[in-house]
């Protein structure tokens, strides 16, 4: 079975632009979460979606938004990019809404110039 | 928010040595996972261990939830064990709070 997939793998943008990152969860998993990992730190929680509803949001500005589609795939959107948004963006999927193991995709490395 | 502290931050091991990584957390949690992050950034699941002890080959983990800590044991280390190990605790729904990681280098 395929694991969590993310696209694109790498992305270079300039300040002020907009970016869309995509994630497909493991087949049968209904929960998708997004994390941001800057260099030298552990990942930070951004969003969680379950059954197309937002179930949690981390301490990130409104420039960050996300959605989940009927097939449980998800998009993370970031508007008005800042240099500080340069990071590895990780998507995690899990079978249920809570109290269960999460599995991560390979990530999208975003560089903002 | 919940705090997760990992120690030691950096560890250099001779191949064949044993080591213990520690994770302390500040509040009750409903999930605890250990990951190994490879050089390309992929987080590899090692253990899902909200409580108790598990073993997988040369790795084992113990979580004592009542005392808010978890330990990851690496025995007979190999160069392929090098990398960053993360402890992540679950709270709320599927939120994970990560520590800053343990950077492990195994030298031949």
């Amino acid at each position: 079975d395929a694991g969590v997939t993310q696209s694109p793998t790498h992305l270079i943008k300039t300040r002020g632009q907009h970016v869309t990152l995509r994630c497909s969860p493991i087949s049968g998993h209904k929960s998708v979460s997004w994390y941001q990992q800057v260099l030298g730190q552990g990942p930070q929680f951004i969003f969680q979606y379950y059954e197309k509803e937002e179930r949690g949001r981390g301490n990130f500005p409104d420039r960050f938004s996300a959605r989940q589609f009927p097939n449980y795939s998800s998009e993370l959107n970031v508007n008005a990019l800042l240099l500080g948004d340069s990071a590895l963006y990780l998507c995690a999927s899990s079978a249920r809404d809570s109290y269960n193991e999460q599995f991560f995709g390979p990530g999208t490395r975003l560089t903002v110039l | 928010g919940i705090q997760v502290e990992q120690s030691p931050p950096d560890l250099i091991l001779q191949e064949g040595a044993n080591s213990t990584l520690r994770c302390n957390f500040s509040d009750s949690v409903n999930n605890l996972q250990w990951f190994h992050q490879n050089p390309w950034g992929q987080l590899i699941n090692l253990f899902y261990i909200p409580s108790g002890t598990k073993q997988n080959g040369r790795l084992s983990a113990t979580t004592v939830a009542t005392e808010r800590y978890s330990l990851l044991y690496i025995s007979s280390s190999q160069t392929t064990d090098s990398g960053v190990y993360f402890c992540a605790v679950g709270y709320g729904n599927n939120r994970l709070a990560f520590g800053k990681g343990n950077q492990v280098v195994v030298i031949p």
Side-chain angles (χ1 to χ4, degrees):
Chain A
D1 285 342
V4 180
T5 60
Q6 292 187 242
S7 64
T9 54
H10 294 84
L11 204 51
I12 300 175
K13 293 285 189 178
T14 57
R15 281 178 296 175
Q17 285 190 311
H18 162 270
V19 68
T20 297
L21 310 180
R22 296 177 175 84
C23 171
S24 292
I26 293 170
S27 178
H29 284 194
K30 297 181 178 180
S31 175
V32 170
S33 300
W34 287 94
Y35 293 80
Q36 180 197 64
Q37 185 179 19
V38 298
L39 198 62
Q41 300 294 320
Q44 297 288 317
F45 172 78
I46 309 175
F47 284 110
Q48 187 225 345
Y49 277 77
Y50 178 75
E51 291 277 21
K52 296 169 287 180
E53 291 187 3
E54 181 182 307
R55 293 301 187 101
R57 183 185 182 114
N59 188 23
F60 280 81
D62 291 343
R63 299 185 296 107
F64 288 76
S65 64
R67 54 179 175 168
Q68 187 177 32
F69 298 100
N71 66 354
Y72 304 112
S73 67
S74 177
E75 282 182 356
L76 175 69
N77 295 283
V78 186
N79 292 324
L81 285 167
L82 303 175
L83 296 179
D85 295 331
S86 295
L88 179 67
Y89 288 85
L90 295 163
C91 172
S93 86
S94 56
R96 301 184 303 276
D97 188 22
S98 58
Y99 297 87
N100 64 148
E101 188 172 9
Q102 295 195 47
F103 299 87
F104 283 80
T108 295
R109 194 167 295 278
L110 173 65
T111 301
V112 182
L113 301 177
Chain B
I2 194 165
Q3 303 298 314
V4 181
E5 292 185 2
Q6 292 186 240
S7 60
D10 300 288
L11 188 61
I12 300 176
L13 298 170
Q14 198 75 42
E15 197 169 28
N18 302 327
S19 64
T20 301
L21 309 179
R22 185 177 179 101
C23 172
N24 292 332
F25 44 95
S26 61
D27 208 341
S28 300
V29 298
N30 56 40
N31 176 12
L32 191 143
Q33 293 185 240
W34 282 97
F35 298 92
H36 182 207
Q37 189 165 42
N38 68 21
W40 299 272
Q42 173 95 51
L43 287 170
I44 308 299
N45 288 42
L46 298 177
F47 293 101
Y48 170 70
I49 187 165
S51 63
T53 298
K54 291 185 177 180
Q55 180 155 8
N56 184 3
R58 295 181 296 101
L59 301 181
S60 63
T62 295
T63 297
V64 184
T66 54
E67 297 186 20
R68 300 180 184 169
Y69 74 89
S70 183
L71 303 173
L72 178 68
Y73 305 96
I74 306 174
S75 65
S76 304
S77 57
Q78 301 177 358
T79 56
T80 52
D81 295 330
S82 296
V84 182
Y85 291 80
F86 283 104
C87 168
V89 300
Y91 65 103
N93 289 340
N94 274 336
R95 301 182 185 215
L96 288 177
F98 284 76
K100 291 186 176 180
N102 308 95
Q103 175 76 60
V104 174
V105 175
V106 182
I107 55 177

